mmCIF file with all atom_site columns, all heavy atoms in Angstrom:
data_model
loop_
_atom_site.group_PDB
_atom_site.id
_atom_site.type_symbol
_atom_site.label_atom_id
_atom_site.label_alt_id
_atom_site.label_comp_id
_atom_site.label_asym_id
_atom_site.label_entity_id
_atom_site.label_seq_id
_atom_site.pdbx_PDB_ins_code
_atom_site.Cartn_x
_atom_site.Cartn_y
_atom_site.Cartn_z
_atom_site.occupancy
_atom_site.B_iso_or_equiv
_atom_site.pdbx_formal_charge
_atom_site.auth_seq_id
_atom_site.auth_comp_id
_atom_site.auth_asym_id
_atom_site.auth_atom_id
_atom_site.pdbx_PDB_model_num
ATOM 1  N N   . LYS A 1 167 ? -4.990 3.006  6.854  1.00 0.00 ? 422 LYS A N   1
ATOM 2  C CA  . LYS A 1 167 ? -4.413 4.149  6.063  1.00 0.00 ? 422 LYS A CA  1
ATOM 3  C C   . LYS A 1 167 ? -4.190 5.383  6.928  1.00 0.00 ? 422 LYS A C   1
ATOM 4  O O   . LYS A 1 167 ? -4.646 6.457  6.670  1.00 0.00 ? 422 LYS A O   1
ATOM 5  C CB  . LYS A 1 167 ? -5.358 4.520  4.900  1.00 0.00 ? 422 LYS A CB  1
ATOM 6  C CG  . LYS A 1 167 ? -5.610 3.303  3.966  1.00 0.00 ? 422 LYS A CG  1
ATOM 7  C CD  . LYS A 1 167 ? -6.444 3.672  2.728  1.00 0.00 ? 422 LYS A CD  1
ATOM 8  C CE  . LYS A 1 167 ? -6.542 2.489  1.769  1.00 0.00 ? 422 LYS A CE  1
ATOM 9  N NZ  . LYS A 1 167 ? -7.375 2.828  0.524  1.00 0.00 ? 422 LYS A NZ  1
ATOM 10 N N   . PRO A 1 168 ? -3.450 5.159  7.975  1.00 0.00 ? 423 PRO A N   1
ATOM 11 C CA  . PRO A 1 168 ? -3.211 6.285  8.921  1.00 0.00 ? 423 PRO A CA  1
ATOM 12 C C   . PRO A 1 168 ? -2.221 7.262  8.357  1.00 0.00 ? 423 PRO A C   1
ATOM 13 O O   . PRO A 1 168 ? -1.461 6.988  7.456  1.00 0.00 ? 423 PRO A O   1
ATOM 14 C CB  . PRO A 1 168 ? -2.624 5.561  10.151 1.00 0.00 ? 423 PRO A CB  1
ATOM 15 C CG  . PRO A 1 168 ? -1.832 4.434  9.530  1.00 0.00 ? 423 PRO A CG  1
ATOM 16 C CD  . PRO A 1 168 ? -2.693 3.967  8.391  1.00 0.00 ? 423 PRO A CD  1
ATOM 17 N N   . LYS A 1 169 ? -2.246 8.518  8.874  1.00 0.00 ? 424 LYS A N   1
ATOM 18 C CA  . LYS A 1 169 ? -1.275 9.515  8.500  1.00 0.00 ? 424 LYS A CA  1
ATOM 19 C C   . LYS A 1 169 ? 0.018  9.344  9.262  1.00 0.00 ? 424 LYS A C   1
ATOM 20 O O   . LYS A 1 169 ? 1.062  9.840  8.811  1.00 0.00 ? 424 LYS A O   1
ATOM 21 C CB  . LYS A 1 169 ? -1.922 10.890 8.686  1.00 0.00 ? 424 LYS A CB  1
ATOM 22 C CG  . LYS A 1 169 ? -3.161 11.104 7.812  1.00 0.00 ? 424 LYS A CG  1
ATOM 23 C CD  . LYS A 1 169 ? -3.661 12.547 7.800  1.00 0.00 ? 424 LYS A CD  1
ATOM 24 C CE  . LYS A 1 169 ? -4.756 12.688 6.806  1.00 0.00 ? 424 LYS A CE  1
ATOM 25 N NZ  . LYS A 1 169 ? -5.978 11.983 7.137  1.00 0.00 ? 424 LYS A NZ  1
ATOM 26 N N   . VAL A 1 170 ? -0.069 8.766  10.464 1.00 0.00 ? 425 VAL A N   1
ATOM 27 C CA  . VAL A 1 170 ? 1.067  8.580  11.289 1.00 0.00 ? 425 VAL A CA  1
ATOM 28 C C   . VAL A 1 170 ? 0.977  7.131  11.879 1.00 0.00 ? 425 VAL A C   1
ATOM 29 O O   . VAL A 1 170 ? -0.101 6.711  12.248 1.00 0.00 ? 425 VAL A O   1
ATOM 30 C CB  . VAL A 1 170 ? 1.152  9.540  12.494 1.00 0.00 ? 425 VAL A CB  1
ATOM 31 C CG1 . VAL A 1 170 ? 2.347  9.320  13.364 1.00 0.00 ? 425 VAL A CG1 1
ATOM 32 C CG2 . VAL A 1 170 ? 1.173  11.025 11.879 1.00 0.00 ? 425 VAL A CG2 1
ATOM 33 N N   . VAL A 1 171 ? 2.103  6.431  12.010 1.00 0.00 ? 426 VAL A N   1
ATOM 34 C CA  . VAL A 1 171 ? 2.108  5.055  12.605 1.00 0.00 ? 426 VAL A CA  1
ATOM 35 C C   . VAL A 1 171 ? 2.911  5.167  13.844 1.00 0.00 ? 426 VAL A C   1
ATOM 36 O O   . VAL A 1 171 ? 4.083  5.651  13.873 1.00 0.00 ? 426 VAL A O   1
ATOM 37 C CB  . VAL A 1 171 ? 2.673  4.052  11.699 1.00 0.00 ? 426 VAL A CB  1
ATOM 38 C CG1 . VAL A 1 171 ? 2.460  2.657  12.251 1.00 0.00 ? 426 VAL A CG1 1
ATOM 39 C CG2 . VAL A 1 171 ? 2.008  4.116  10.313 1.00 0.00 ? 426 VAL A CG2 1
ATOM 40 N N   . LEU A 1 172 ? 2.371  4.677  15.013 1.00 0.00 ? 427 LEU A N   1
ATOM 41 C CA  . LEU A 1 172 ? 2.930  4.720  16.341 1.00 0.00 ? 427 LEU A CA  1
ATOM 42 C C   . LEU A 1 172 ? 3.325  3.317  16.749 1.00 0.00 ? 427 LEU A C   1
ATOM 43 O O   . LEU A 1 172 ? 2.512  2.414  16.709 1.00 0.00 ? 427 LEU A O   1
ATOM 44 C CB  . LEU A 1 172 ? 1.990  5.372  17.363 1.00 0.00 ? 427 LEU A CB  1
ATOM 45 C CG  . LEU A 1 172 ? 1.316  6.673  16.900 1.00 0.00 ? 427 LEU A CG  1
ATOM 46 C CD1 . LEU A 1 172 ? 0.266  7.085  17.933 1.00 0.00 ? 427 LEU A CD1 1
ATOM 47 C CD2 . LEU A 1 172 ? 2.365  7.803  16.766 1.00 0.00 ? 427 LEU A CD2 1
ATOM 48 N N   . PHE A 1 173 ? 4.598  3.163  17.201 1.00 0.00 ? 428 PHE A N   1
ATOM 49 C CA  . PHE A 1 173 ? 5.097  1.854  17.620 1.00 0.00 ? 428 PHE A CA  1
ATOM 50 C C   . PHE A 1 173 ? 5.469  1.932  19.087 1.00 0.00 ? 428 PHE A C   1
ATOM 51 O O   . PHE A 1 173 ? 6.361  2.710  19.427 1.00 0.00 ? 428 PHE A O   1
ATOM 52 C CB  . PHE A 1 173 ? 6.281  1.426  16.786 1.00 0.00 ? 428 PHE A CB  1
ATOM 53 C CG  . PHE A 1 173 ? 6.028  1.188  15.331 1.00 0.00 ? 428 PHE A CG  1
ATOM 54 C CD1 . PHE A 1 173 ? 6.019  2.261  14.435 1.00 0.00 ? 428 PHE A CD1 1
ATOM 55 C CD2 . PHE A 1 173 ? 5.821  -0.100 14.842 1.00 0.00 ? 428 PHE A CD2 1
ATOM 56 C CE1 . PHE A 1 173 ? 5.739  1.969  13.083 1.00 0.00 ? 428 PHE A CE1 1
ATOM 57 C CE2 . PHE A 1 173 ? 5.600  -0.315 13.491 1.00 0.00 ? 428 PHE A CE2 1
ATOM 58 C CZ  . PHE A 1 173 ? 5.539  0.738  12.604 1.00 0.00 ? 428 PHE A CZ  1
ATOM 59 N N   . ASP A 1 174 ? 4.896  1.084  19.896 1.00 0.00 ? 429 ASP A N   1
ATOM 60 C CA  . ASP A 1 174 ? 5.217  1.028  21.342 1.00 0.00 ? 429 ASP A CA  1
ATOM 61 C C   . ASP A 1 174 ? 6.134  -0.134 21.619 1.00 0.00 ? 429 ASP A C   1
ATOM 62 O O   . ASP A 1 174 ? 5.677  -1.265 21.780 1.00 0.00 ? 429 ASP A O   1
ATOM 63 C CB  . ASP A 1 174 ? 3.964  1.006  22.173 1.00 0.00 ? 429 ASP A CB  1
ATOM 64 C CG  . ASP A 1 174 ? 4.264  1.046  23.686 1.00 0.00 ? 429 ASP A CG  1
ATOM 65 O OD1 . ASP A 1 174 ? 5.426  1.482  24.049 1.00 0.00 ? 429 ASP A OD1 1
ATOM 66 O OD2 . ASP A 1 174 ? 3.432  0.662  24.443 1.00 0.00 ? 429 ASP A OD2 1
ATOM 67 N N   . GLU A 1 175 ? 7.468  0.098  21.698 1.00 0.00 ? 430 GLU A N   1
ATOM 68 C CA  . GLU A 1 175 ? 8.401  -1.012 21.958 1.00 0.00 ? 430 GLU A CA  1
ATOM 69 C C   . GLU A 1 175 ? 8.101  -2.246 21.171 1.00 0.00 ? 430 GLU A C   1
ATOM 70 O O   . GLU A 1 175 ? 7.796  -3.321 21.757 1.00 0.00 ? 430 GLU A O   1
ATOM 71 C CB  . GLU A 1 175 ? 8.433  -1.320 23.447 1.00 0.00 ? 430 GLU A CB  1
ATOM 72 C CG  . GLU A 1 175 ? 8.916  -0.180 24.364 1.00 0.00 ? 430 GLU A CG  1
ATOM 73 C CD  . GLU A 1 175 ? 10.440 -0.141 24.514 1.00 0.00 ? 430 GLU A CD  1
ATOM 74 O OE1 . GLU A 1 175 ? 11.111 -0.796 23.718 1.00 0.00 ? 430 GLU A OE1 1
ATOM 75 O OE2 . GLU A 1 175 ? 10.944 0.549  25.369 1.00 0.00 ? 430 GLU A OE2 1
ATOM 76 N N   . PRO A 1 176 ? 8.130  -2.146 19.839 1.00 0.00 ? 431 PRO A N   1
ATOM 77 C CA  . PRO A 1 176 ? 7.563  -3.243 19.044 1.00 0.00 ? 431 PRO A CA  1
ATOM 78 C C   . PRO A 1 176 ? 8.346  -4.530 19.105 1.00 0.00 ? 431 PRO A C   1
ATOM 79 O O   . PRO A 1 176 ? 7.821  -5.540 18.713 1.00 0.00 ? 431 PRO A O   1
ATOM 80 C CB  . PRO A 1 176 ? 7.597  -2.694 17.594 1.00 0.00 ? 431 PRO A CB  1
ATOM 81 C CG  . PRO A 1 176 ? 8.731  -1.622 17.663 1.00 0.00 ? 431 PRO A CG  1
ATOM 82 C CD  . PRO A 1 176 ? 8.607  -1.046 19.043 1.00 0.00 ? 431 PRO A CD  1
ATOM 83 N N   . THR A 1 177 ? 9.547  -4.498 19.671 1.00 0.00 ? 432 THR A N   1
ATOM 84 C CA  . THR A 1 177 ? 10.336 -5.776 19.756 1.00 0.00 ? 432 THR A CA  1
ATOM 85 C C   . THR A 1 177 ? 10.552 -6.260 21.196 1.00 0.00 ? 432 THR A C   1
ATOM 86 O O   . THR A 1 177 ? 11.134 -7.251 21.408 1.00 0.00 ? 432 THR A O   1
ATOM 87 C CB  . THR A 1 177 ? 11.725 -5.573 19.138 1.00 0.00 ? 432 THR A CB  1
ATOM 88 O OG1 . THR A 1 177 ? 12.393 -4.585 19.820 1.00 0.00 ? 432 THR A OG1 1
ATOM 89 C CG2 . THR A 1 177 ? 11.592 -5.171 17.648 1.00 0.00 ? 432 THR A CG2 1
ATOM 90 N N   . SER A 1 178 ? 9.961  -5.556 22.201 1.00 0.00 ? 433 SER A N   1
ATOM 91 C CA  . SER A 1 178 ? 10.247 -5.834 23.593 1.00 0.00 ? 433 SER A CA  1
ATOM 92 C C   . SER A 1 178 ? 9.731  -7.218 24.022 1.00 0.00 ? 433 SER A C   1
ATOM 93 O O   . SER A 1 178 ? 10.287 -7.832 24.922 1.00 0.00 ? 433 SER A O   1
ATOM 94 C CB  . SER A 1 178 ? 9.720  -4.768 24.492 1.00 0.00 ? 433 SER A CB  1
ATOM 95 O OG  . SER A 1 178 ? 8.311  -4.755 24.451 1.00 0.00 ? 433 SER A OG  1
#
Side-chain angles (χ1 to χ4, degrees):
K422 299 185 177 181
K424 299 189 172 65
V425 179
V426 188
L427 310 173
F428 294 85
D429 183 19
E430 295 274 14
T432 62
S433 66

